Amino acid sequence: MAEKEKKTSTALRISLIAVTTAIVAVFTIALRIPTPIGGYVSLCDAAVTFVAYSFGPFTGFIASGLGTAIADLIGGYGQWAPISFITHGFEALAIALIVRKNPASFIYKIISAIIAAIIVAGGYFLLTGAFLIGFSASLAEVPANLVQAIVGVIIGLPLSLAVRRAYRKIDDIAW
């Protein structure tokens, strides 16, 4: 019986990663505001935050990284896909690991939001500066990336809290 439960659990987790990856991709594509340097800001961080708070570090990292990268590839921003994968994957990982220490603490949620904003703004600044457009152009994007990350928390955290209230067994599938 234990083996069947393990297979079911693995199948459920793989399905969860697939569904949450799709959610992140849809949130990323649904509303894109182009930026002067050839990128865009979107609602991706709302989905990244939701997935990280709800489903843990492993699911958060994979779904957020893949979801944003897939959205970049589909949307014609392929050069940004590796940067989005790294930045948003680590954003979700950090959020989930910080909140995991004390899931009920509002302070931990605020700390995770601040760290997430730093990872998004800093990650895009460093990676686009080094590999795509140079640091002076990349610096111009920092404010937009900070706003995107903060709006993501404002939307993603209440969404996660609502889902957790409605589905109390969510911790059983968090990974």
Side-chain angles (χ1 to χ4, degrees), residues 2 8 42 51 112 126-127 152-153 166:
T8 302
S42 69
V51 171
S112 72
L126 291 173
L127 295 172
V153 170

Side-chain angles (χ1 to χ4, degrees), residues 149-162:
I150 291 165
V151 168
V153 170
I154 291 169
I155 295 169
L157 177 58
L159 182 60
S160 175
L161 293 172

Side-chain angles (χ1 to χ4, degrees), residues 22-58:
I23 289 169
V24 172
V26 168
F27 267 70
T28 305
I29 292 171
L31 175 68
R32 291 187 301 193
I33 302 167
T35 63
I37 64 164
Y40 61 89
V41 293
S42 69
L43 291 175
C44 70
D45 288 310
V48 168
T49 301
F50 165 72
V51 171
Y53 283 138
S54 300
F55 302 109
F58 187 80

